[in-house]
Amino acid sequence: MKDNKIIKYIICVVVAIIAMIFLNFVLDSYKVRVLNLCFIYIILGLSMNLINGFTGLFSLGHAGFMAIGAYTVAILTMTPEMKEMNYYMKPMVSFLQQINMPFIVALIIGGLLAALFGFLIGAPVLKLTDDYLAIATLGFSEIIRVVIINLQSVTNGALGLKGIPQKTNQFFVKLLRDIFGISLSHSINLLWAGIGAIITIVFMFLLMKGSYGKAFKAIREDEIAARSMGVNLFKHKVMSFTIGSFLAGIGGGLLAVSLGTIDPTLFKFSLTWNIILIVVLGGMGNINGTIISAIVVTIAMEALRFLDEPLNLGFIQTPALPGLRMVVFSIILMTVIIFKKDNVLKSTLVKVRGRYAKN
Amino acid sequence: MLKIDNVTMRFGGVVAVNQFSAKIDPGEIVGLIGPNGAGKTTVFNMVTGVYKPTSGDIIFTPNGTSQSIINLRPDQIAQIGICRTFQNIRLFKELTVLDNVFIGSHLRLKSGIFSSVLRLPNYTKQEKAMYEKAKYLLEKVGLYEEKDEKSFSLPYGKQRRLEIARALATDPKLLLLDEPAAGMNPQETQELMEFIENIKEEFDLTIFLIEHHMEVVMGICDRIYVLDQGAHIADGDPLEIQNNPKVIEAYLGVD
Ligand SMILES: Nc1ncnc2c1ncn2[C@@H]1O[C@H](COP(=O)(O)OP(=O)(O)OP(=O)(O)O)[C@@H](O)[C@H]1O
Ligand SMILES: [Mg+2]
């Protein structure tokens, strides 16, 4: 009975991976990119939901942890020649200049560094009361940005990094060529983000099924009761926060590869806001909801891209309004929050609908 | 088992508990009574580490060795064997009845978070035992049928019993019950008294309880402490307390 279930899950995962390879062949590169973003936002949404939704902490630092992951991956995977081209204002410190690692190693290092920072920020703050966590994490993610801008010989400052290697699956490409005789013009871009998303989803389900996940939820429900039942609040909060930071770093690293170009402006608060949007829409503490809303938000974000461009409404021509997309999204978010919280509004709406339906 | 030694708890200008002492022996059921605002819950909060006494000491002797517990955190105190219920029920509302009790035994888990995620055998074995125990305790308090319901959906009396089951899951030596019979009807109260005596025997507990229902206090307590406005005014067995003029005065508010 139980073994059957596990086999079912394994089959699901295998099918998903095969589907990804297949999609990578049939979809055009734009669609692959959007799908890739969906996977990345699933990871990011779940990581924030672990901290904010499941454990009831209030962290606003996702962009900072993502920046750490993204810059780590970029710096560790770019070739020395690429780096030389990028760092024309100020040369890179030479030992970093020479480093060139396989993508997956760099990604894991990026995640671990983000986790380390998560621990270093979380530990002092969470020891007090987590009201300060929001402020501390918000401050941290701004500080990280300022550090990145000023640490020019490491991060190339405000110029950003271009030409981050996107062919991250040389191993698979070789495997396919040598064993199946299939040669690919472009790499299997989806695979890492897809595997990352699957691992994150499975990880979250298993974590929440177990005793630690339930202790996280207990902390969210009632801290005083949780600690009186012997749950070490500090230890559990730090665990949740550090794991969440790790996953945020992984998401950031994958994002860097998917974009190919990063710079400090990418990691402003609006990036954290996107993820908050996903978590709130999907439901605090809801894994399935987060997966769905990550996909919906990512696709909608692409589909509504026209809002940022000059609009021709027939009778009026508006100039380009960069940011209009986010305004629309924020309005959607607020509406959702109001409707979720305020049942009065909901029931009024039902009544109004009922009246019009009758007449 | 527990020795409360001259503790005082001051909140700003308010002296909630004033130089209170008490001693509880292993296997006893000891009551703590007093009018509203007397400082009873504050005594519990000090024993469970929620508040640190302004002065005085609290000594816990679970098995021969004594230790002062005033500098321990609440979770450490639960770890060494003191657990409690709350006057204003504090369940994990959104979690199921079963999970509420399950979490009670999380503190005895000997596996790390990654063993739990990877579901390594040493973890799953413990998890299975934790669930078995939770189910057993639910049967004991008569909530097995409701095990998959969310805890907030239970009626009041059942929520109180669930709190006791959750506290028992932590394997306490000393159990503190803050008004366990509050909001219960006479029949439920009667059942509760039998239940308390029953778990005391089965789990080899020492019990310290706050209660306003006099029939409960007089019915099951071996000894009783009386607090009034933070100060100890009497202690003794139920008969002595019932006939103590100071106690009658405090309760009737005679000057
Ligand atoms: N955290 C706190 N801060 C300030 N005052 C407090 C605090 N906790 C309790 N008190 C005060 O201490 C006094 C005793 O409160 P406590 O809750 O211990 O009374 P009690 O005997 O449990 O009463 P009841 O029968 O109503 O439960 C009250 O005057 C209360 O207002
Ligand atoms: Mg009280």
Side-chain angles (χ1 to χ4, degrees), chain B residues 142-188:
Chain B
L143 290 174
Y144 188 78
E145 298 287 302
E146 288 95 339
K147 72 177 176 8
D148 296 320
E149 282 174 31
K150 292 218 165 141
S151 66
F152 72 84
S153 70
L154 292 181
Y156 195 74
K158 289 185 175 177
Q159 292 195 12
R160 287 221 167 274
R161 279 189 273 153
L162 178 55
E163 269 215 341
I164 298 178
R166 184 180 66 179
L168 288 175
T170 67
D171 282 339
K173 307 255 178 354
L174 174 65
L175 180 63
L176 309 185
L177 303 171
D178 197 343
E179 304 200 13
M184 288 188 176
N185 63 35
Q187 198 210 324
E188 283 175 322

Side-chain angles (χ1 to χ4, degrees), chain A residues 16 35 40 46 53 64 80 102 119 124 142 149 153 201 211 275 289 318 342:
Chain A
L35 193 58
I40 294 169
L46 287 176
F119 178 78
E142 273 310 300
I149 291 171
S153 57
I201 293 169
S211 177
I275 304 162
T318 67
D342 198 348

Side-chain angles (χ1 to χ4, degrees), chain B residues 114-134:
Chain B
F114 292 106
S115 322
S116 97
V117 170
L118 298 173
R119 304 197 72 73
L120 299 179
N122 91 64
Y123 169 79
T124 49
K125 214 167 81 197
Q126 291 179 72
E127 189 191 76
K128 192 157 167 264
M130 285 161 76
Y131 274 119
E132 294 299 318
K133 184 164 139 202

